[in-house]
Amino acid sequence: MNGVMLSQGLRSPMRHLAGLRRAKAISTSIVHNETIFVKNNDEFVNKVMNNDKPVIVNFHAEWCEPCKILTPKLKELIEPLNNLDLAVVDVEDNAELVHTFEVKAVPAVIAIRNGLIVDKFIGLVDADMINNLIDRMSGKKKDGA
Amino acid sequence: MAPIGGWMCCGRKAKLVDPLTESVCDEDGTYDYDLAVLGGGSGGLACAKEAINQGAKVAVLDFVTPSPQGTKWGLGGTCVNVGCIPKKLMHQAALLGEAIHEAVAYGWQVPSVDQVKINWSSLTEAVQNHIKSVNWVTRVDLREKKIEYINGLGSFKDPHTIIATLKNGSQKELTAKNIVIAVGGRPHYPDIPGAKEYCISSDDIFSLSNPPGKTLVVGAGYIGLECAGFLNSLGYSSTVLVRSVPLRGFDQQMAGMITSEMEEKGVKFHHRCIPVSVEKLETGQLRARWLNTETKEQGEDIFDTVLLATGRYALTEQLNLKAAGVNVLSENGKVVAETEQTNVPHIYAVGDVLEGRPELTPVAIHAGRLLARRMFGGASQLMDYDNVATTVFTPLEYGCVGLSEEQATQRYGADNLEVYHAFYKPTEFFIPQRNIRNCYLKAVALREAPQKILGLHFVGPVAGEVIQGFAAAVKCGITMEQLVNTVGIHPTVAEEFTRLNITKRSGKDPNPASCCS
C-alpha cells in the first residue's frame, strides 16, 4: 500500500500517510527513525524481523576501525528517512545473532524486509554502494536496479 | 536454538553442580566429549581444531585469572593477548619511531622532527583493538567448528572428569575420554616487599592505562630485554636489573651484542643485581632498591613503573593433578612428557606447560596438531623439538636456529667445531649513520668436511625474517659447503650468510672491508 501511495506522488496523501505513520509509531512505541540498538534476540525479532519497514542491520564492534567510520555514516543517511530503519548490533553482546547470520567479519550490513534477508555486504564499502542500498531499500529505486 | 554458551551435549546432560553420586561415567566409556582441552591458547586451540577435523567431539576450557594489578583478557592465550602479538606491535611502533628520524637523512622533510612523540593511549588502544578482534574471530571460529567453549577454570575431579569454575563461582562438570593440559604459564613474582602491590608484569604493560614513564625492568631474559628495548625506543627511559647473565640459555656472545646495542641506545644495565624492595612514594612514584650480589653494594632509584620479568611458571597447581593420577611434574611444576603423554595414558600436555621444551607459539601449535592426529587420526608422527628457530625482538633483533656455540662446544668439543663469523654493514644504515658495531653473524659447524651446520646466529634488522628460511635449510642438514655455494640476494642482510668465509680459529679480522667483493 505504501508503494501505491508513493507512486501517486500526491502531497496530501503523503502528509496523511506521514501523519498515520506517526500515530502508528506512537501506538507501537517505536520511536520514529531513531536507530535501533539491539541488545538481545527478542529486541531483534520485535524491532527488526517484525518491522513493517525495511531495516538495515549493521553488525558493529567497538574495536573495529572501519566500523567507526561506517556506523555513523549509516546513521547520518538513514535517520532522516521515514521508511527505512537502522539497527545496530554490537557483535560482542549478540553472539547468537552473529552466528545466525553467519557474520565472520565486521562491519557487516544485512538488509531485511518483512523478515527476509534481501541484501548483504561485508567490510567498509564505498559511499556509492551504501547510497545504492539505501535507495533500493527505501523504495527510491526499483528492486534489482 | 541452543542457549548462548550453553551445553551442547549429545551423550548425557552435564551436571551443573557437583552431585553426591559418583561420576556417572562407566567403564564402557560413554563420555561427554572425546577430547577436553584445558587452556585456549596456541597449543590448546590448535589441538582442538585438528581434533575436530579428525571427527572428535571437543570442548575447550579457557579462563584468565586477573593479574595482581587486575588485568584480564579474552580467548586466545598468552601469545594473542599478552605475548607475541602485542609485543611485536609495540616493537614495530618503536622501530617506526626510529625510522621517522632516519627518514630525515634520506631527504624527507619532517616538520619539527625533534618534537615527534609517542601517544601511549593511542598506541595501547590500537594494540588492544587488534587483540579484541583476534579474540572475537577466535570465538567465532570455535563456534563454527562446533567446538564447545567454556569460559571456566578447569581442574580434575578424577582421571576423566573435569570441574569448570565459572566467573560467577558456579561450577560445571564434564567428562572426557581424552584430556590435554595446555594451560601455559604466568609471570613469576619475586618474593620481595612491594612486588605484587606496586609492580607490573608483561600481563599488564600492553594495556597500561597511563604511560609507563621512567621504567625499571627486573630480569634480562627475552621478555625483559624486549620490553626494555621498545620502551626505551618509545621514549621511556629504561633500566634493566640482570641477576646473572642476559638471555641465559642463549648464545652468550650474541646476547652480549644485543645488550651492547641496547646500552648504546641508552638503556642502563645493572649486572649481578637482584631486587630487594619496591615502595610507593607520596608522589605516586616507586622507589626500587637492589643488591649487587658480587660487590654487596646496594643501589636504588626512583621510577614511574617497575616491570617484573623474572621468569614464568606453569599453571599446574590449580589443576588438582593428584585427582587425575598425573604424577610427572618437574621441580618447576612443569609436566614431564617426552611425547606429550603423561603417566596417565589418556591425559596429555602441550605448550609452555611442558618441561624442557621451547616456550614458543609455533612449537605449541605444531605439537598440538600432531598430537591430535595421533589421538584421533591414527597418525604416528612425533613432534621434533630440535632446530626450532627463534628470534628476540629487541630493537636490533637476534635470530637463531640450532645450537649455540656453548652447546655445540659442550656436545662435540672445540676441536671438532669450525665457527665462521663476520661483522657486516647493512646498506640502509650508511645514510642515517646508524650504528653497525653490533651487526654480526656466525655459523657453528662441524669441523670435518662437508662441515654440517649445527647453529646459525644473526644480530641485525629483521632477524626473524632472515633466519626463517635458514631454519628449513638446517632441517635439511645444510653444510657449510652448500651454504657458501648459495648465491646471495644483493643488497640484503641475509646474504651475509652466503658470504661467510672467515673462521674464528684463523684469527683473521671479521670486519668487512667493503661490500660487493
Side-chain angles (χ1 to χ4, degrees):
Chain A
M1 184 173 141
N2 294 353
V4 170
M5 299 296 277
L6 281 168
S7 67
Q8 286 181 348
L10 300 167
R11 252 184 291 154
S12 40
M14 284 286 280
R15 257 190 243 127
H16 177 63
L17 192 65
L20 277 178
R21 291 219 70 92
R22 244 177 265 130
K24 188 177 178 188
I26 289 169
S27 69
T28 58
S29 79
I30 293 175
V31 180
H32 194 56
N33 287 336
E34 259 188 36
T35 300
I36 305 160
F37 288 96
V38 178
K39 300 277 183 308
N40 54 55
N41 291 357
D42 286 341
E43 211 179 326
F44 189 81
V45 170
N46 291 338
K47 297 186 185 171
V48 178
M49 302 301 270
N50 292 342
N51 196 326
D52 50 347
K53 283 186 278 176
V55 184
I56 303 270
V57 182
N58 169 223
F59 287 83
H60 169 98
E62 278 306 303
W63 37 256
C64 163
E65 278 305 313
C67 294
K68 294 199 191 148
I69 299 170
L70 180 64
T71 303
K73 189 75 194 162
L74 288 173
K75 277 198 207 156
E76 181 195 313
L77 294 173
I78 296 173
E79 269 179 5
L81 301 177
N82 297 346
N83 48 13
L84 178 63
D85 275 345
L86 174 65
V88 175
V89 177
D90 189 312
V91 297
E92 298 278 3
D93 300 332
N94 293 279
E96 226 177 273
L97 289 174
V98 164
H99 184 57
T100 305
F101 288 97
E102 296 180 337
V103 174
K104 294 188 188 110
V106 276
V109 172
I110 296 177
I112 292 186
R113 181 188 280 136
N114 298 326
L116 299 173
I117 300 174
V118 295
D119 211 339
K120 180 174 181 177
F121 68 75
I122 313 278
L124 180 61
V125 296
D126 63 33
D128 280 340
M129 260 200 76
I130 301 174
N131 283 316
N132 224 293
L133 175 67
I134 290 174
D135 287 344
R136 260 183 294 124
M137 297 307 292
S138 61
K140 288 210 191 101
K141 281 194 179 141
K142 280 211 154 55
D143 278 332
Chain B
M1 283 191 225
I4 295 173
W7 279 119
M8 285 197 296
C9 270
C10 67
R12 290 185 343 268
K13 278 216 152 44
K15 299 168 206 49
L16 290 171
V17 171
D18 191 20
L20 293 171
T21 57
E22 51 164 306
S23 179
V24 184
C25 190
D26 21 0
E27 291 312 307
D28 74 347
T30 36
Y31 303 98
D32 295 328
Y33 297 96
D34 297 313
L35 172 65
V37 178
L38 301 178
S42 304
L45 292 179
C47 187
K49 291 182 197 175
E50 183 63 25
I52 278 274
N53 282 349
Q54 302 289 342
K57 184 158 186 277
V58 184
V60 168
L61 279 76
D62 188 69
F63 190 82
V64 179
T65 308
S67 74
Q69 292 301 326
T71 311
K72 348 191 253 264
W73 50 88
L75 179 63
T78 297
C79 172
V80 167
N81 293 286
V82 288
C84 334
I85 302 295
K87 174 267 294 283
K88 190 82 193 286
L89 295 175
M90 294 220 163
H91 172 63
Q92 178 66 3
L95 292 180
L96 288 171
E98 290 178 10
I100 292 173
H101 289 94
E102 286 171 35
V104 176
Y106 277 89
W108 281 101
Q109 300 184 292
V110 183
S112 323
V113 69
D114 293 319
Q115 286 165 23
V116 170
K117 282 197 326 259
I118 189 74
N119 180 317
W120 178 257
S121 302
S122 303
L123 172 59
T124 48
E125 192 183 321
V127 169
Q128 290 304 312
N129 280 347
H130 175 66
I131 292 172
K132 290 197 180 94
S133 76
V134 178
N135 295 144
W136 182 72
V137 168
T138 307
R139 281 204 318 278
V140 166
D141 197 25
L142 288 189
R143 187 174 288 121
E144 239 165 87
K145 294 189 153 77
K146 302 212 193 331
I147 296 173
E148 177 75 13
Y149 161 51
I150 300 157
N151 188 207
L153 191 64
S155 63
F156 284 92
K157 183 183 171 199
D158 66 49
H160 283 281
T161 309
I162 291 171
I163 304 175
T165 304
L166 309 186
K167 197 162 70 168
N168 58 13
S170 67
Q171 297 193 322
K172 281 186 186 337
E173 225 178 74
L174 58 140
T175 59
K177 189 158 178 224
N178 297 283
I179 297 168
V180 170
I181 298 167
V183 297
R186 290 295 287 270
H188 162 266
Y189 277 69
D191 189 16
I192 58 165
K196 291 210 167 111
E197 299 91 310
Y198 309 124
C199 301
I200 63 167
S201 72
S202 57
D203 282 351
D204 314 292
I205 185 71
F206 302 111
S207 54
L208 205 59
S209 33
N210 295 318
K214 181 177 168 191
T215 304
L216 176 68
V217 175
V218 182
Y222 75 86
I223 297 177
L225 293 188
E226 284 175 353
C227 287
F230 71 68
L231 287 175
N232 185 61
S233 296
L234 291 173
Y236 303 112
S237 142
S238 301
T239 304
V240 179
L241 291 186
V242 186
R243 181 180 63 179
S244 61
V245 294
L247 294 178
R248 190 163 57 98
F250 284 83
D251 187 291
Q252 283 301 293
Q253 181 194 15
M254 308 309 281
M257 303 257 156
I258 287 296
T259 50
S260 289
E261 179 74 14
M262 289 174 71
E263 270 177 314
E264 283 157 29
K265 282 205 161 86
V267 178
K268 296 181 220 22
F269 283 85
H270 294 302
H271 293 273
R272 300 284 170 182
C273 288
I274 55 170
V276 164
S277 68
V278 177
E279 53 179 294
K280 194 159 190 169
L281 306 176
E282 261 170 42
T283 56
Q285 288 177 302
L286 303 171
R287 176 188 282 129
R289 291 198 167 96
W290 56 84
L291 171 71
N292 185 315
T293 52
E294 264 178 9
T295 65
K296 305 299 181 205
E297 265 175 54
Q298 295 218 353
E300 67 170 63
D301 201 350
I302 316 274
F303 299 93
D304 298 307
T305 303
V306 176
L307 191 154
L308 300 172
T310 52
R312 294 173 66 82
Y313 68 96
L315 293 172
T316 45
E317 206 182 296
Q318 59 210 23
L319 292 174
N320 190 21
L321 288 175
K322 221 164 114 185
V326 174
N327 60 13
V328 283
L329 287 188
S330 68
E331 253 177 36
N332 315 332
K334 289 185 165 195
V335 177
V336 178
E338 271 285 310
T339 59
E340 295 91 36
Q341 190 178 33
T342 67
N343 60 304
V344 180
H346 69 272
I347 300 180
Y348 305 82
V350 91
D352 286 5
V353 81
L354 281 175
E355 173 68 40
R357 301 303 195 190
E359 289 176 27
L360 299 167
T361 280
V363 170
I365 291 176
H366 202 66
R369 253 183 226 144
L370 292 178
L371 176 62
R373 281 181 211 155
R374 292 199 305 275
M375 280 195 283
F376 302 106
S380 57
Q381 188 189 349
L382 291 175
M383 173 68 184
D384 180 6
Y385 289 96
D386 285 336
N387 294 324
V388 170
T390 186
T391 295
V392 178
F393 290 97
T394 37
L396 193 66
E397 301 172 12
Y398 165 37
C400 60
V401 60
L403 304 178
S404 65
E405 201 173 327
E406 293 94 333
Q407 285 167 337
T409 307
Q410 203 184 44
R411 204 180 286 192
Y412 298 95
D415 280 344
N416 296 316
L417 295 179
E418 195 73 88
V419 181
Y420 291 81
H421 70 156
F423 285 90
Y424 64 95
K425 300 180 189 170
T427 308
E428 299 88 346
F429 280 32
F430 285 108
I431 289 179
Q433 295 183 338
R434 272 187 73 172
N435 180 20
I436 47 128
R437 250 193 308 269
N438 300 302
C439 291
Y440 177 83
L441 75 163
K442 69 181 178 185
V444 178
L446 289 176
R447 193 170 177 184
E448 196 182 319
Q451 300 198 319
K452 177 170 168 177
I453 293 176
L454 304 168
L456 292 172
H457 301 264
F458 177 90
V459 170
V462 296
E465 309 293 356
V466 169
I467 286 287
Q468 180 66 89
F470 288 108
V474 167
K475 209 164 182 72
C476 296
I478 190 170
T479 63
M480 280 309 296
E481 274 176 32
Q482 289 168 321
L483 184 58
V484 301
N485 276 304
T486 305
V487 178
I489 302 170
H490 186 70
T492 64
V493 293
E495 67 173 310
E496 297 298 332
F497 274 113
T498 65
R499 287 161 49 93
L500 283 171
N501 63 93
I502 292 177
T503 63
K504 282 195 176 179
R505 181 170 276 120
S506 69
K508 290 201 196 130
D509 178 13
N511 280 291
S514 64
C515 93
C516 315
S517 67

